Structures are given as C-alpha cells and as structure tokens.
Amino acid sequence: MQAIDNTDGRAMYWGTGRRKSAVARVRLIPGSGQLNVNGKAGDLYFQFNPNYLGIIKAPLETLGLENEYDILVKAEGGGLTGQSDAIRLGVARALCQLDPENRSPLKTEGYLTRDPRAKERKKYGLHKARKAPQYSKR
C-alpha cells in the first residue's frame, strides 16, 4: 500500500509512534538516508548523541535500507529518549506500509511493539505517585 505521492512525485510512507508522553509523526521518502526532526537535522536535534540516532535508524538497518530513505519527523511532547523511541516505532510502522514482507523481521527485533510504560499519576495525600509523607510516631 502506497501513501499519497508528495509534490515531486516520489512515494511517501508514514507511521505514527508513541512512547511515554511523546508522539512522533514519521514520513519515509526515497532519498539518501537523511534524518530531519521538526525542521532541524536529526543529529543536531538529538545533540549528536549516537545512542538516540542508533535507536532511530535501527529498523532501517535491520532491513538494510539505511541509505535509501529520508526520515521526516514531527515530534511533540516528552524528552529526547521518549521521542527517539517514538520515532523508531513510527519508522517501523512506515516500513511495514512500504512492504508487508518487512513486518516479520521488524517484529522479531521488537520494533513494532508499543512500550506501554508511562508516568504514574500523583495520588492525593502523597507527595508523588507513591512517595508518602514522613511518618512520625510521636
């Protein structure tokens, strides 16, 4: 299944990823392997941290497509860790849209699994979600 062609006639595949409170809308466009997040170069946005960049490009490296698609991302919420994990999920979903055969290698690597862990809400009478006020016996 192919998404709508963009202005210059190339195919565009998209996927949405979420992690913690971060949401990433990812578009894959045939290109040279560049990463663009919120209008900035990916390595600049993620502060040249190789861990974040490796997380994002892992699904492409699994399939051997790291230099064939440009990644365009609109990321919101959370921090850099949540956003990079959200982008990874979005890239993996876009690759499944590109070719259904990509699903099984991505699934075995765990890239299609949404990580459900999120911050627990604060409860009344407590300082944080579970931290209680100091108990005084006398």
Side-chain angles (χ1 to χ4, degrees), residues 19-23 76-79 82 117-119:
R19 171 74 173 99
K20 293 185 173 181
S21 61
V23 179
E76 299 171 334
R117 293 176 295 170
K119 185 169 179 165

Side-chain angles (χ1 to χ4, degrees), residues 28-80:
L28 287 183
I29 299 172
S32 59
Q34 295 178 346
L35 173 63
N36 190 322
V37 182
N38 293 348
K40 292 184 180 179
D43 50 357
L44 181 67
Y45 187 85
F46 286 104
Q47 303 167 357
F48 301 95
N49 188 325
N51 293 334
Y52 294 141
L53 298 171
I55 286 170
I56 291 167
K57 299 204 175 187
L60 289 167
E61 290 170 1
T62 300
L63 300 173
L65 302 172
E66 54 266 9
N67 294 323
E68 295 184 29
Y69 289 94
D70 290 341
I71 306 170
L72 300 176
V73 182
K74 174 80 169 88
E76 299 171 334
L80 295 180

Side-chain angles (χ1 to χ4, degrees), residues 11-12 14-15 18 33-34 36-37 50 53 58 62 71 74-75 80 84 93-94 100-101 109 127 134-135 137:
M12 180 170 48
W14 54 272
R18 293 181 189 84
Q34 295 178 346
N36 190 322
V37 182
L53 298 171
T62 300
I71 306 170
K74 174 80 169 88
L80 295 180
S84 62
R93 286 179 173 174
E101 298 291 321
E109 292 290 326
H127 290 305
Q134 188 173 11
Y135 174 73
K137 190 167 183 179

Side-chain angles (χ1 to χ4, degrees), residues 110-130:
Y111 297 143
L112 292 173
T113 304
R114 157 70 161 105
D115 192 342
R117 293 176 295 170
K119 185 169 179 165
E120 190 175 340
R121 79 169 198 84
K122 181 190 178 300
K123 280 79 169 189
Y124 63 89
L126 301 180
H127 290 305
K128 291 166 50 178
R130 299 189 183 196

Side-chain angles (χ1 to χ4, degrees), residues 96-118:
C96 286
Q97 192 182 58
L98 177 116
D99 185 9
E101 298 291 321
N102 293 339
R103 184 169 175 80
S104 64
L106 292 173
K107 197 163 176 66
T108 56
E109 292 290 326
Y111 297 143
L112 292 173
T113 304
R114 157 70 161 105
D115 192 342
R117 293 176 295 170

